[in-house]
């Protein structure tokens, strides 16, 4: 099955679903082959604007798709999967984007032999600049991973790895987006402190983050090498970097990734304990 003929369904209509839909429509999937369900109309309007079929019935989505993205909050995953499990067949590949919900939990909630993939996207998917990491379950083969990559290739960077890396990815890239926003905000506020108008400072800070990231990706150089190329002996950058190191920015950033990763693992343990108690 190729991405042009495949039908894709989404249960959940939040930002992650929206970003992924934008990406797959930019590729080879046609709007007529996509369907999205959500319990209310609140988030469905933007999908209708893309000529996507919408419904309030999760079962309807499952029965009309080959690849099903489960894009609901983690605490709702068990309820949704119990609702649709009788309609899941060997036709389906189930892709969960719920943080912390393990493959073991997903496979326990679905019929035996179900093909399951866990996918961790991040917010920049909505502008097709995401960082996405996935891992395949027991019955999902390499060709199912390849199909997912084909579907998601326009969403941003797509990588496969072991399940243990997904929580790290959540800390690095899922939560990391907010860390970058905080740094961009601080950059702009520093400029405002020195006398630049706020709106201009924020535009320049945003472009600085964007340009630095693009150069980092395209140059294939280590961040430390690019950083050293900006510095000149006794110049402005080394003085600024010294101030950042005095403030502990490196250690704080590493601690932030560690803390977010540990929280993702904690949520995963809580979610894993829940399905059995609800059966």
């Amino acid at each position: 099955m190729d991405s042009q003929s495949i039908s894709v369904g989404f249960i959940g209509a939040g930002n992650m679903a929206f970003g992924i839909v934008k990406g797959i429509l930019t590729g080879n999937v046609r709007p007529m082959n996509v369907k999205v369900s959500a319990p209310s109309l609140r988030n469905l309007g933007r999908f209708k604007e893309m000529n996507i079929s919408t419904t309030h019935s999760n079962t309807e989505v499952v029965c009309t798709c080959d690849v099903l993205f489960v894009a609901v909050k983690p605490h709702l995953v068990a309820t949704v999967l119990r609702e649709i499990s009788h309609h899941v067949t060997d036709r389906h590949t189930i892709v969960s984007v719920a943080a912390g919900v393990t493959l073991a939990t997903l496979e326990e909630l679905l019929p035996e032999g179900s093909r399951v993939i866990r996918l961790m996207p991040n917010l920049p998917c909505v502008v097709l600049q995401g960082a996405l990491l996935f891992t395949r379950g027991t019955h999902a083969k390499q060709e199912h991973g390849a199909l997912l990559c084909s579907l998601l290739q326009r969403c941003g960077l797509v990588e496969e790895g072991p399940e243990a890396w997904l929580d790290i990815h959540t800390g690095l890239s899922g939560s990391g987006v907010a860390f970058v926003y905080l740094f961009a905000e601080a950059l702009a506020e520093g400029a405002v402190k020195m006398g630049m108008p706020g709106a201009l400072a924020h535009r320049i800070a945003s472009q600085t983050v964007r340009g630095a990231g693009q150069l980092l990706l395209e140059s294939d150089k280590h961040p430390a090498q690019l950083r050293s190329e900006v510095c000149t002996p006794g110049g402005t950058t080394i003085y600024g970097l010294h101030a950042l190191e005095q403030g502990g920015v490196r250690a704080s950033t590493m601690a932030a990734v560690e803390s977010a990763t540990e929280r993702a693992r904690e949520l995963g343990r809580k979610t894993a304990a829940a399905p059995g108690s609800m059966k």
Side-chain angles (χ1 to χ4, degrees), residues 155-220:
C155 293
L157 176 70
V158 184
E159 299 282 356
E160 181 176 6
E163 187 171 23
W165 290 0
L166 293 188
D167 290 333
I168 302 172
H169 177 73
T170 298
L172 168 64
S173 191
S175 300
V177 170
F179 307 157
V180 173
Y181 293 154
L182 177 64
F183 184 71
E185 180 185 12
L187 278 177
E189 288 177 347
V192 171
K193 179 181 178 182
M194 301 311 295
M196 182 179 286
L200 177 61
H202 282 282
R203 288 198 301 273
I204 293 176
S206 299
Q207 182 61 35
T208 300
V209 171
R210 179 181 184 179
Q214 191 68 32
L215 182 58
L216 186 59
L217 279 171
E218 293 184 2
S219 69
D220 202 30

Side-chain angles (χ1 to χ4, degrees), residues 102-116:
T102 65
L103 288 170
T105 298
L106 296 166
E107 291 175 345
E108 179 184 355
L109 289 164
L110 289 165
E112 186 175 355
S114 295
R115 292 195 301 272
V116 178

